[in-house]
Amino acid sequence: MSLPNFLDMYKKLIANPSVSAIDRSLDLSNKAVIDELANWCRELDFEVEITELTHSPGKFNLLARREPLDKNLTEGGLMLAGHTDTVPFDDTRWNSDPFELTEKDNKLFGLGSIDMKGFFAFVLNAIRQLEHSQQSTPLMILATADEETTMAGAQQVAQHASLKPKYCVIGEPTDMVPVFTHKGHMSSAIRITGRSGHSSDPERGLNAIEIMQQVITQVLQLKEELKNKYSVEHFAVPHPTLNLGHIHGGDNANRICGCCELHIDIRPLPGLSIVELEQMLLTALKPINEQYPGSVDVIDLHDPIPAFSGRTDSGLVKLAEKLSKQKAIAVNYCTEAPFLQQLGCETIVMGPGSIAQAHQPDEHLAMDKIKPSQEIILNLIQTCCFNKEEAS
């Protein structure tokens, strides 16, 4: 087979559903996307390694490597990384088929068009323009699974013993603005177990909703403590955030509520460890658990994701700023960067499309951004891997 053109690659990637969801009824394998990428990478002389996730059967990572033809040039290199899964979708809110790349109003619509299957079309289209014989350092393409849920794919890659790129660029949608640092993500359920009973005799029960009211008071105090104690000026929201996102409990007005559960979302800054944050939450709830022994449980809704911290003076950041003509920024959302950074590589987040479109109905890429985004990606690969002046 021959490598399809840019738009055909885009279409094929969008056409293969690869939804990642905690709800198993919505969760899908990403194998079809991985197989498509594997075939295209082989067309460009890459050696391809496909690995099933240890703890997520049916989910796969792809690592494609292409070494320089000069076997003495095998150190360092560039890894271009992205995830193959998408969020779930509500087709009643889409104006087109989420799995059919649709061109309208100078935009390309489709689930994953910018978050972030489309990035692979940009990367492969750039590499096809470069002569393998001129390659001077290793070039790698990483495609991961389950970024939108557990980030299990990236966490497994971080343990890869022989993967040691010098640079890593994660192609999340940043409008090609380099991102050098971002916050982490911690989602927790606070579950109150009371004792149900008839509402006519409150003393015979233990009302979980009433205990939850005390929990919320403590959690809101923690929110203020985080806001007042920690700050990093690079971020548009300079402090850690804490959001009360979901609550449910009880079953009827005339029954004492026996169970109530609150889901919270915390976004820690670089420098605030997950362990420290978890301890702060437990400390805040300790007086309530002492008053009502065994009534308060804190449960991770997913493995916490640490913040990502890079340096504005790194060679890769400086190169990305030069090519994009944009200063590197900090963002409030999180990516696979803290895990891939564990490989020992300089790491940034930079890719085509706007984050404002991510996780939205009618997700799309503005077509007038294709040419400038493609040029930056091509120049990045050339500079790092094809005898141009390398980032230092």
Side-chain angles (χ1 to χ4, degrees):
M1 64 170 282
S2 59
L3 189 67
N5 64 35
F6 174 77
L7 281 180
D8 283 343
M9 282 191 285
Y10 232 108
K11 290 176 183 177
K12 290 177 183 291
L13 291 169
I14 299 301
N16 287 308
S18 54
V19 171
S20 177
I22 299 298
D23 184 342
R24 292 189 178 183
S25 68
L26 301 176
D27 196 47
L28 300 172
S29 174
N30 66 331
K31 187 62 160 56
V33 179
I34 291 291
D35 288 342
E36 201 79 79
L37 289 172
N39 290 333
W40 297 340
C41 287
R42 292 186 183 107
E43 285 293 315
L44 293 171
D45 299 329
F46 281 80
E47 294 184 1
V48 175
E49 172 187 321
I50 297 175
T51 307
E52 189 169 16
L53 299 194
T54 303
H55 301 295
S56 300
K59 302 298 183 80
F60 297 84
N61 286 340
L62 172 145
L63 176 62
R65 306 195 213 198
R66 196 173 79 178
E67 304 290 342
L69 296 179
D70 183 344
K71 298 303 181 184
N72 294 316
L73 303 172
T74 60
E75 296 297 319
L78 171 67
M79 183 168 73
L80 298 155
H83 61 84
T84 58
D85 59 318
T86 70
V87 291
F89 63 98
D90 180 353
D91 57 3
T92 65
R93 299 178 64 197
W94 278 72
N95 291 304
S96 59
D97 184 343
F99 299 111
E100 181 177 341
L101 189 69
T102 303
E103 182 180 340
K104 183 182 179 182
D105 299 330
N106 203 34
K107 299 171 183 175
L108 293 176
F109 292 87
L111 184 62
S113 55
I114 54 95
D115 187 21
M116 58 170 291
K117 294 178 180 180
F119 177 64
F120 296 109
F122 278 93
V123 166
L124 293 166
N125 197 50
I127 295 171
R128 80 193 310 165
Q129 301 174 54
L130 302 168
E131 292 292 335
H132 189 180
S133 61
Q134 299 300 309
Q135 187 177 329
S136 57
T137 61
L139 180 56
M140 289 150 272
I141 298 172
L142 174 67
T144 61
D146 281 3
E147 187 271 353
E148 298 290 5
T149 50
T150 63
M151 295 204 182
Q155 293 190 63
Q156 186 162 313
V157 170
Q159 308 304 314
H160 201 298
S162 63
L163 183 57
K164 299 188 181 300
K166 184 174 182 179
Y167 308 118
C168 175
V169 176
I170 302 170
E172 293 278 6
T174 69
D175 273 332
M176 299 309 295
V177 177
V179 170
F180 75 95
T181 185
H182 65 61
K183 294 181 180 179
H185 186 212
M186 175 177 149
S187 293
S188 300
I190 303 174
R191 183 177 297 159
I192 308 301
T193 303
R195 189 169 61 255
S196 61
H198 199 285
S199 62
S200 63
D201 191 353
E203 297 304 317
R204 294 179 66 85
L206 182 63
N207 197 309
I209 293 177
E210 293 181 8
I211 299 174
M212 182 61 79
Q213 185 220 1
Q214 298 180 47
V215 166
I216 290 173
T217 298
Q218 291 296 101
V219 169
L220 290 178
Q221 288 179 2
L222 174 60
K223 177 181 179 178
E224 288 303 305
E225 180 183 350
L226 292 171
K227 183 177 180 179
N228 295 328
K229 188 174 181 181
Y230 301 94
S231 180
V232 175
E233 63 181 1
H234 294 299
F235 291 90
V237 181
H239 52 79
T241 57
L242 190 159
N243 180 61
L244 282 61
H246 173 73
I247 191 167
H248 61 273
D251 52 22
N252 207 46
N254 63 359
R255 272 172 55 83
I256 297 168
C257 175
C259 185
C260 187
E261 189 167 293
L262 170 69
H263 294 182
I264 64 173
D265 168 292
I266 306 178
R267 305 276 172 155
L269 292 166
L272 178 56
S273 73
I274 295 296
V275 172
E276 181 181 2
L277 191 56
E278 289 174 333
Q279 189 56 52
M280 291 175 73
L281 178 59
L282 292 175
T283 298
L285 300 177
K286 184 178 179 181
I288 302 172
N289 231 346
E290 289 177 345
Q291 184 178 357
Y292 305 101
S295 66
V296 183
D297 291 302
V298 179
I299 304 156
D300 286 338
L301 293 173
H302 61 71
D303 289 340
I305 300 159
F308 160 57
S309 182
R311 300 190 343 261
T312 55
D313 62 348
S314 75
L316 182 58
V317 168
K318 292 298 184 185
L319 173 61
E321 289 180 329
K322 178 181 176 182
L323 296 177
S324 68
K325 299 180 175 60
Q326 302 270 4
K327 290 291 292 182
I329 62 171
V331 295
N332 297 315
Y333 55 84
C334 62
T335 75
E336 296 172 319
F339 301 113
L340 300 185
Q341 188 183 41
Q342 293 174 24
L343 297 170
C345 46
E346 292 184 24
T347 303
I348 62 169
V349 183
M350 183 176 73
S354 169
I355 191 63
Q357 289 300 317
H359 302 189
Q360 297 297 319
D362 293 336
E363 177 185 344
H364 64 264
L365 172 70
M367 293 184 71
D368 60 2
K369 297 293 184 70
I370 293 176
K371 184 176 179 180
S373 298
Q374 186 70 85
E375 183 177 345
I376 294 170
I377 292 169
L378 175 62
N379 287 336
L380 175 75
I381 297 170
Q382 281 182 309
T383 303
C384 292
C385 301
F386 285 83
N387 288 320
K388 283 198 169 188
E389 182 182 352
E390 189 180 351
S392 59

